[in-house]
Amino acid sequence: MPVSLGELATRYGCELKGDPATAIERVATLGSAGAGCISFFANPSYRDALRQTAAAAVILKSADAADCPVAVLLSDEPYLTYARIAATLHPPAPLAPGIHSTAVVATTAHIGNGAEVAANAVIGENCTVGDDVYIGPGCVLGDGVNIAAESRLLANVTVLHGVPDRCTVPRASRHCHRLRRIR
């Protein structure tokens, strides 16, 4: 659902330079953004991309606004603001609470209220899965793992130690090994 640029500015405490009625539908990189997209600028290496962007708006610091050809949301922390706006525009799918018939859950594991355990997940002995947690398909939780409320483990994640509160854990790859905190 589109959100107006003015609403985003108000919600996230940004100064707006541009038309507050501009409809924002999705996030995108500076280079791939077009109408209805919002992007961010925080790294001087991408200044040429900023100058050429076709985004509807860009989130950036006030010192960089002169290089931006489109509407801007001024923020002291452009990436953090962008991440929060991304979560607003692209919320996670609602949970379907319950345990899939192909999941294997130890009898000593505790699954919280509203949690969803997807197909082929394995949850070990003495695990605790908090309320409103998503355990994706093929995930494996080793014995004694605690997953805090509102966390999301996407497909094929293996956790052998605890994870921080309210996080999203993407499938590990050679490029991504960090946890993202949800704010």
Side-chain angles (χ1 to χ4, degrees), residues 60-125:
L60 43 68
K61 292 184 177 186
S62 59
D64 299 310
D67 289 327
C68 187
V70 299
V72 299
L73 289 181
L74 300 177
S75 170
D76 290 337
E77 296 189 43
Y79 179 73
L80 180 58
T81 302
Y82 175 81
R84 289 177 174 156
I85 289 173
T88 297
L89 295 173
H90 307 286
L95 296 178
I99 300 171
H100 192 275
S101 63
T102 61
V104 176
V105 180
T107 57
T108 58
H110 171 76
I111 308 299
N113 294 326
E116 177 181 351
V117 179
N120 301 312
V122 176
I123 299 179
E125 298 291 336

